[in-house]
Amino acid sequence: MRTFPEGFLWGGATAANQMEGGWNEGGKGWSVSDCARAKFDVDVKNYEKQNEITSKDIEEALAHPEDMVNYPKRHGNDFYHHYKEDIKLFAEMGFKVFRMSIAWSRIFPNGDDVTPNEEGLQFYDDVFDELKKYNIEPLVTMSHYEPPLNLTLSYDGWYSREVIGFFENYVRTICERYKDKVKYWLTFNEVDSIIRHPYTTGGLIKDRFPNKNFEEVCYQAMHHQFVASALATKICHEIIPGAKVGCMITKLSYYPMTCKPEDILKSQQMMRNIYAYSDTQVFGEYPSYLLSYYKNHDIHIHKEAGDDEIMKKYPVDFVSFSYYMSSCVAEDETGIEKTAGNTVMGLKNPYLPSSEWGWQIDPIGLRISLVELYDRYRKPLFIVENGLGAKDELIDGKVHDEYRIDYYRKHFKCMLDAIIEDGVELMGYTSWACIDLISESTKQMSKRYGFIYVDVDDYGNGTYDRYRKDSFYWYQKVIHHNSLDFE
Ligand code: BG6
C-alpha cells in the first residue's frame, strides 16, 4: 500500500475576502476586495481587462454600500455566520489543517489605526477555538487580497513605505493574540500576483500614478512586501516559539511548445519569472536575473538602508504554492491557439484537457513542480491550493461531481510519486477551495471548487445552505486511509 507520510497535513484552503461575508459587521472596515465588481459577462480570455480597477470604480463602490449583487465578495459564502457548521463539516471529512486568512480590515479597519478592533480579534479567536475542538490546525495567511481600502486611498497602497510599518503592527497584534492557537503562517498569498493584479494584491490603482512607470510602481510595492514578509517572519518567530512561516507563490508552469531551442529558451525565461519570488524569499536576496531585468527595463527600486540585511536574515521556513494548470510557450505564436489559465493566458497544449474556464488540467505538471521546487530549495513544501473550478448541479440535495474526484485522484497520485519516487518532502495539502466561495478571477459563485456545495448563485440569491458533494465522501476516505489504495 502506497501511503502519504505519517502526520501528513490534509485539509482545505480558503481566504477571508472570498468567503466570509459580513463585510461591514463587527467593526470591519472596507477592504480592497469589498470594491471588486462582478463581471457577469465574464470573458476568461481577457483577464487583463477584468483586473483593471480605476479610481472611478472605487468611488462607485463606496457610493453603493448596500449593493451585494455587483460586489459579491461582500457576501461570499457567509462563513462569518456559518463558521461553526462549516468547521464541523471539515472535521467530518477528517481535516488535519484548515487554511484561512485573517481579513486585515477586521483587525485594523483603516489599516493605520493605533488600536485594533476587539470584535474582529474575537471573531478569529472563536474560529480558532472551534478548529481546536476538532484538532484541526489553522494555517493562516496574513494577507490574501485584503489590504484595507484606506491604505489605497490615503497612502497609494503598498507603494508607500509607511505600509510596512502598519503591516508590522498588524502582524505583531495577531501573533500576540493567537500565539497559543496558530503555529503555521503564510505571509502574502501569491506575492508574485501584484504584477498580474496590482489592485487586489497591493492596493495599487494605475490612474493614481499618472507620471510614473506603473511596472516600476508594482515592483517597488513588491519590494515593500518582501521586506514586510521578512519582518513578519522575524516577529512570528520571536513571539511564537516553534512557529513555521512560509512564502506562497503561484506555481505557473510553462512548457516549450516544441523542442526548438528558441522555445526551450523562452520557457526557461518564463520559469525564471515564476521562481524569482520564491528565490527572493528563500535565499533572502533578489536573484541576479531579476536585477538584470530591472536594469534592462529601466526599473529603479528604492531600498532603504537595512532592507537587504532584513531580507537576508529572515528567510521563510517552508515554501508553499498554488498549482492549478500548465500552458505552453513558443517563440513564434503564429497560428497557435491560446487558452486561459490562472489570471494569465498561455498557449494550448494538445495533450491536455481543460476545465470549463480553459485552465489546462495537468497532474504530471504538479509532480514536475514538486521536484523542481524541492531540488531548488531543499525546504519542505506545502501545496496550499489546487483544485477544479466547475459548474456543479445540485439535484435533490446531491452533487455528483465525479469530474472533481477524477481531478484529485490524478493529482494525488502524482504527489505520491513525487514523495515516494522522487524524494520530495511534502508537509501537506490543502485543496482550493474546500467549500464553494467567490472566484477571484471572475468573481463568480458558479465557478465552484468545494467538497461542500453552498446554495448561492452569482447574484447572491439562495439559501446559503450547505450540501455534501460526492467528492466530500471520497476525500474523507483519502484522509482516513492516508492513501489512494482504498478504491
Ligand atoms: C489563486 C488565488 O490564485 O487561485 C485564490 O490564491 C483563487 O484566491 C484561486 O481563488 C482560484 O482562482 P479563481 O480565479 O478560479 O478563483
Side-chain angles (χ1 to χ4, degrees), residues 1-11 90-96 412 471-487:
M1 183 154 163
R2 290 190 349 142
T3 56
F4 285 86
E6 215 189 305
F8 190 75
L9 291 167
W10 285 110
F90 302 152
E92 191 181 325
M93 270 188 280
F95 279 20
K96 315 287 178 216
F412 293 176
S471 56
F472 178 103
Y473 299 104
W474 182 83
Y475 194 47
Q476 184 182 52
K477 285 190 197 130
V478 173
I479 299 177
H480 177 74
H481 293 274
N482 203 25
S483 168
L484 287 174
D485 289 344
F486 60 87
E487 294 192 289

Side-chain angles (χ1 to χ4, degrees), residues 4-5 36 43 61 71 82 148 166 191 221 263 268 270 272 274 276 282 321 327 400 410 417 422 448 487:
F4 285 86
D43 176 6
Y71 302 98
H82 287 76
F166 301 139
V191 70
D263 287 357
Q268 186 186 54
M270 296 287 284
R272 281 179 130 196
I274 308 301
V282 172
F321 64 97
S327 51
H400 301 303
K410 289 179 175 145
D417 291 342
D422 304 325
R448 296 176 181 276
E487 294 192 289

